[in-house]
Amino acid sequence: MKLSTKGRYAIRALVDLAMHQNGDPVLLRTIAQRQDISLQYLEQLISPLVGAGILRSARGPKGGVMLARPTGKVKLSEVIQLAEGPFIPAECINNPGVCDRSEVCATRDILEELKQAMDGVLESTTLEDMVEKQKIKEAPKEAMYYI
């Protein structure tokens, strides 16, 4: 199981926006260039985020997108849900009736634990957390000198 580019790119775009927004809208073209994402693909990813109230868009010469909420109020679970849809490792997790073995299947139990663990990580991680992680990744590394 892996996230598609939709989920990964949506998170990358939001982190980029959060790090470069100075109170003014940011052009999608600029985010696309910095993140090496096709502008057309990014436009598709941004639309549901605007619709959900995570982003606001502005048209015109000073147009672009900006965060509609503080970064600490944007959970990755919401972003992934909008970009990918629900995370379900197997259909029987949400709909046990699709399999006659659901009640006696140990594999289903493990997949349900996996879903709960992943949901927990995504629910407890905010855009603010991701921005802090990105700042650490981008911080210049101190050179070590040995004598």
Side-chain angles (χ1 to χ4, degrees):
M1 290 178 293
K2 64 181 180 177
L3 291 175
S4 74
T5 55
K6 288 180 180 181
R8 295 191 322 266
Y9 288 5
I11 293 170
R12 279 179 35 198
L14 286 174
V15 169
D16 183 281
L17 177 60
M19 292 182 72
H20 294 97
Q21 178 178 291
N22 298 331
D24 294 323
V26 176
L27 294 173
L28 285 181
R29 179 178 346 109
T30 305
I31 296 170
Q33 289 171 343
R34 279 194 297 250
Q35 293 301 315
D36 196 24
I37 301 171
S38 151
L39 178 58
Q40 292 77 18
Y41 195 44
L42 183 59
E43 288 169 345
Q44 292 173 20
L45 299 176
I46 293 301
S47 182
L49 299 173
V50 171
I54 293 174
L55 296 177
R56 286 193 321 250
S57 64
R59 296 185 183 267
K62 299 244 182 203
V65 292
M66 56 192 316
L67 292 169
R69 291 191 242 159
T71 56
K73 299 287 186 188
V74 179
K75 295 180 181 180
L76 291 193
S77 57
E78 184 179 12
V79 176
I80 294 299
Q81 173 75 26
L82 290 166
E84 300 272 351
F87 168 70
I88 305 169
E91 184 63 29
C92 63
I93 301 300
N94 285 354
N95 187 6
V98 300
C99 178
D100 296 336
R101 299 185 42 79
S102 289
E103 294 299 317
V104 296
C105 182
T107 302
R108 180 179 182 272
D109 294 344
I110 294 300
L111 293 175
E112 191 166 17
E113 287 180 40
L114 176 65
K115 179 186 182 336
Q116 290 172 359
M118 192 160 172
D119 287 348
V121 169
L122 294 174
E123 185 67 22
S124 66
T125 306
T126 66
L127 182 55
E128 182 175 17
D129 298 327
M130 294 300 295
V131 167
E132 290 307 313
K133 287 177 186 293
Q134 189 62 44
K135 285 178 181 176
I136 291 168
K137 293 274 188 186
E138 291 179 4
K141 305 292 186 238
E142 290 185 28
M144 289 290 224
Y145 296 99
Y146 298 95
I147 299 178

